[in-house]
């Protein structure tokens, strides 16, 4: 059983920055893909960014150039640095790990960007 715990959400003014962290209960060195998703009110959950075991990254168009995803296999941690935040970035952010064909999700952390 994989447990994921996100932290770092909160309220920030437009143009500000936040850093999210996701702590995994297992060794992630063999996890191929890890990612951040978000769900805004009234919308479906959508990919924000992901990173594979080789360090290759993929970003949603709306966050490209503003967000940076990284992983620390030694600390079993996935992070998301968010800069130049916009009100449209307001959402619950979820960490996801795919392992052995199963997708594991954290409970999410709320990010609110005030205009």
């Amino acid at each position: 059983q994989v447990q994921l715990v996100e932290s770092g959400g909160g309220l920030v003014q437009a143009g500000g920055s936040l850093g999210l962290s996701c702590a995994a209960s297992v060794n992630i060195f063999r996890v191929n893909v890890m990612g951040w998703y978000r769900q805004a009110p009234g919308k479906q959950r959508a990919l924000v960014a992901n990173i594979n075991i080789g360090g290759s990254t993929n970003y949603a168009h709306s966050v490209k150039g503003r967000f940076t995803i990284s992983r620390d296999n030694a600390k079993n941690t996935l992070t998301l640095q968010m800069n130049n935040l916009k009100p449209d970035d307001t959402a619950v952010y979820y960490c996801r790990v795919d392992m052995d064909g199963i997708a594991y999700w954290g409970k999410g952390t709320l990010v609110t960007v005030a205009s």
Side-chain angles (χ1 to χ4, degrees):
Q1 185 73 15
V2 178
Q3 293 185 331
L4 304 171
V5 179
E6 301 97 337
S7 61
L11 173 64
V12 64
Q13 294 292 317
S17 298
L18 278 177
L20 304 183
S21 291
C22 172
S25 62
V26 296
N27 291 326
I28 65 170
F29 73 93
R30 65 181 183 91
V31 174
N32 186 26
V33 179
M34 305 179 67
W36 288 97
Y37 289 70
R38 68 186 180 187
Q39 187 166 16
K43 296 186 178 181
Q44 291 189 330
R45 193 173 299 187
L47 174 70
V48 175
N50 59 25
I51 183 168
N52 70 13
I53 198 168
S56 295
T57 57
N58 177 47
Y59 294 92
H61 178 75
S62 60
V63 308
K64 200 170 291 186
R66 300 188 296 123
F67 291 11
T68 302
I69 189 172
S70 61
R71 61 191 286 175
D72 187 332
N73 291 344
K75 296 182 179 180
N76 298 322
T77 300
L78 179 72
T79 62
L80 184 70
Q81 178 63 38
M82 305 184 293
N83 298 327
N84 190 22
L85 282 159
K86 304 176 181 181
D88 283 349
D89 295 319
T90 294
V92 178
Y93 284 71
Y94 298 90
C95 173
R96 169 175 166 165
V97 166
D98 290 74
M99 181 179 287
D100 298 329
I102 299 173
Y104 296 92
W105 295 89
K107 292 183 178 180
T109 184
L110 176 63
V111 172
T112 303
V113 185
S115 58

